[in-house]
Amino acid sequence: MKQLFICSMLVSILFFETNAQEKYKTGINSNLIHTLQVKVSGSMISVPIIKLDGDGQIEINFDAIGHNYNRFVYSVTHCNADWSQSALAPIEYLDGFQGLTIDDFATSVNTTTQYTNYILQLPNEDVRFKVSGNYAVQVCLENEPHKVLFTACFSIEEPLITIDAGITGNTMTDFNHEHQQINFTIHHKSMPITYPQSDLKLFVYQNNRRDNVVTNLKPTTILRDQLVYDNNRDLIFEAGNEYRRMEFLSNRYNGMGVNSIQFYNPYYHIELMTDRPRNNQPYVYDQDQNGRYFIRCSNCSDPDTEADYYIVHFALACEPFLDGSVYLNGDFFNNVLDERSKMGYNFETGRYEKSILLKQGSYNYQYTFSGNGTSMGQPGVIEGNYYQVENEYSIYVYYRPMGIRYDRLIGTAVIKNAMNLF
């Protein structure tokens, strides 16, 4: 027990010193780790938010390639509203130890690619949360505590307010064209907010993306028990397009969007149908899942351990962009635009191409352009922008009055527009 305590303290100190200025985001840093999912336990589609002192749990689900048992340890960090590390010490936000091992695991069954599936549920018997806000879990090997293999981010809410929100195509820049505008009202009858301009921090995300998040919002109208955020230019988003979809559940038949399946030892290879830009095409409705993916396989009872890994080949036929890069975007890349999601251009085929090792399932994806020297993706350059698109917007409201040392998450709302916006 003494050794465990010393180990957890060392891990905590290392994480604190190394990541003091970092802004955490869900992402993988190692080729050992694949298929990282952060969601509400028991839910297929969810924004990773649970209530403080509630019954919900966050599930962190991931695979490690190979059947060797890896002793993974995890550390929990409390974050500010912008996902930088907060000033709180672990004893202030956590009831439990740091540096505990992840002990819920199972090896794959009858798969060409051997892997071990791990599941971490939070809170659990060893770790409980004391305060609301943003949290980042970092995982490393027990014998390499300085090397973070992946980060998983989620939020814990203490619901003290309610939010009424809506989406419209009638924006301050155009009417029923390329944009969507968010309007919402915060109701805080049971919670006095004396200085909303300074005490509140609001963050609005589109389809769980971080690159185009809107913040630094001020209310347009302040009433006794209401804060109104209407007709705000900062709350206008490019609408984008419905996500593309593809599915591969078996090696015996081609799934949605699949052109061919071939086996080249040691992997099955999925050749997808060649995609093309949609920015000059008419809008076509499709029931997507706003960038998410689901692990599934034919004739299997436990996809976590029975779904196989295939190499999937993506291709986008278009002229090369000389002033920026093209990325694959979606939850399977944790909506991060980096070298892992960046596509390369093949001048012989005239296509942007990328090959990825993916677990069997159903996937949403889109192609996004990012100009040189910028970090924001622009899906509309390739996919087009259409006001009718079904997007999902998440609103986070944080409260930090004078004298409080952390950002309390006092309310959230997740809204999704119907096909008919009016």
Side-chain angles (χ1 to χ4, degrees):
M1 192 66 184
K2 183 178 179 180
Q3 291 178 334
L4 175 62
F5 177 76
I6 293 173
C7 178
S8 66
M9 288 299 293
L10 288 173
V11 170
S12 178
I13 291 170
L14 276 168
F15 282 132
F16 185 85
E17 290 180 348
T18 304
N19 301 309
Q21 302 303 317
E22 180 182 356
K23 289 191 177 180
Y24 296 92
K25 58 187 176 183
T26 298
I28 298 172
N29 306 317
S30 168
N31 292 330
L32 173 67
I33 306 300
H34 289 266
T35 318
L36 172 61
Q37 301 173 79
V38 187
K39 57 186 179 181
V40 176
S41 182
S43 175
M44 288 190 66
I45 296 181
S46 63
V47 178
I49 306 170
I50 59 174
K51 290 179 171 53
L52 185 67
D53 299 325
D55 296 329
Q57 286 182 298
I58 292 293
E59 178 181 314
I60 301 172
N61 189 315
F62 66 97
D63 294 335
I65 298 299
H67 276 178
N68 297 327
Y69 169 62
N70 296 282
R71 288 183 63 86
F72 293 113
V73 297
Y74 64 95
S75 176
V76 182
T77 300
H78 187 267
C79 300
N80 296 314
D82 65 354
W83 295 98
S84 60
Q85 187 168 353
S86 76
L88 298 183
I91 195 172
E92 296 179 275
Y93 61 81
L94 207 63
D95 182 8
F97 292 102
Q98 299 274 37
L100 296 175
T101 58
I102 301 175
D103 297 322
D104 185 355
F105 64 93
T107 56
S108 60
V109 179
N110 297 326
T111 57
T112 57
T113 300
Q114 294 185 340
Y115 62 88
T116 304
N117 177 254
Y118 293 80
I119 297 176
L120 173 63
Q121 305 270 11
L122 292 170
N124 53 44
E125 292 181 355
D126 301 311
V127 173
R128 289 166 294 278
F129 303 105
K130 294 181 178 180
V131 301
S132 66
N134 294 338
Y135 284 85
V137 170
Q138 293 192 299
V139 174
C140 60
L141 290 169
E142 187 177 47
N143 60 347
E144 295 181 333
H146 60 285
K147 185 178 180 181
V148 177
L149 300 178
F150 69 85
T151 301
C153 294
F154 57 92
S155 300
I156 296 181
E157 170 193 6
E158 45 181 323
L160 301 175
I161 61 169
T162 58
I163 304 170
D164 289 332
I167 306 169
T168 178
N170 182 7
T171 76
M172 299 175 70
T173 58
D174 55 30
F175 181 79
N176 291 0
H177 193 40
E178 295 186 347
H179 296 84
Q180 294 175 348
Q181 184 158 344
I182 312 303
N183 297 310
F184 60 92
T185 299
I186 295 173
H187 301 271
H188 60 98
K189 184 176 181 179
S190 60
M191 181 180 183
I193 301 176
T194 307
Y195 304 106
Q197 297 93 334
S198 59
D199 293 349
L200 292 184
K201 298 178 183 178
L202 279 70
F203 285 72
V204 181
Y205 299 91
Q206 181 192 54
N207 298 329
N208 205 29
R209 291 170 55 191
R210 290 272 196 98
D211 58 311
N212 66 341
V213 61
V214 170
T215 186
N216 297 321
L217 296 168
K218 305 300 180 185
T220 52
T221 305
I222 300 176
L223 304 174
R224 180 178 179 181
D225 299 321
Q226 297 179 2
L227 302 171
V228 181
Y229 297 79
D230 282 353
N231 301 316
N232 188 323
R233 284 186 174 272
D234 292 331
L235 286 170
I236 299 174
F237 291 81
E238 290 189 353
N241 204 341
E242 309 292 357
Y243 282 78
R244 301 174 192 254
R245 295 192 295 158
M246 65 93 171
E247 180 177 82
F248 56 105
L249 309 181
S250 172
N251 57 28
R252 298 179 180 178
Y253 59 87
N254 293 348
M256 181 189 307
V258 175
N259 185 53
S260 65
I261 303 175
Q262 301 289 334
F263 182 77
Y264 302 103
N265 193 36
Y267 296 110
Y268 281 98
H269 288 251
I270 300 289
E271 191 79 30
L272 298 181
M273 296 179 182
T274 300
D275 290 317
R276 287 173 171 77
R278 300 184 292 173
N279 56 322
N280 292 318
Q281 301 297 317
Y283 169 75
V284 176
Y285 170 74
D286 189 22
Q287 189 174 1
D288 66 357
Q289 290 75 43
N290 299 310
R292 295 182 172 90
Y293 68 94
F294 310 101
I295 300 306
R296 303 168 56 198
C297 50
S298 295
N299 302 318
C300 67
S301 58
D302 183 10
D304 281 343
T305 56
E306 295 180 49
D308 210 343
Y309 274 90
Y310 297 170
I311 293 181
V312 181
H313 301 269
F314 293 82
L316 172 68
C318 67
E319 294 297 318
F321 292 91
L322 303 180
D323 55 346
S325 301
V326 173
Y327 296 85
L328 266 174
N329 190 41
D331 276 13
F332 66 108
F333 274 121
N334 305 116
N335 295 295
V336 176
L337 308 183
D338 59 10
E339 289 302 315
R340 297 174 69 91
S341 58
K342 185 177 179 180
M343 304 190 74
Y345 195 79
N346 186 333
F347 285 91
E348 292 185 2
T349 61
R351 308 186 309 181
Y352 280 96
E353 298 174 349
K354 191 167 188 65
S355 300
I356 311 163
L357 185 65
L358 292 177
K359 200 172 184 178
Q360 283 179 303
S362 303
Y363 289 77
N364 282 192
Y365 68 98
Q366 64 180 358
Y367 298 100
T368 186
F369 169 80
S370 182
N372 295 329
T374 67
S375 58
M376 181 182 293
Q378 296 177 280
V381 173
I382 299 169
E383 306 288 5
N385 287 304
Y386 305 92
Y387 78 94
Q388 305 99 317
V389 171
E390 286 190 340
N391 284 315
E392 182 179 283
Y393 294 89
S394 304
I395 303 169
Y396 293 66
V397 180
Y398 302 87
Y399 180 60
R400 189 171 185 172
M402 185 176 296
I404 300 297
R405 297 171 49 240
Y406 70 98
D407 296 325
R408 299 170 61 187
L409 181 55
I410 61 171
T412 64
V414 179
I415 58 172
K416 181 179 177 181
N417 62 295
M419 183 178 176
N420 184 1
L421 294 179
F422 306 102

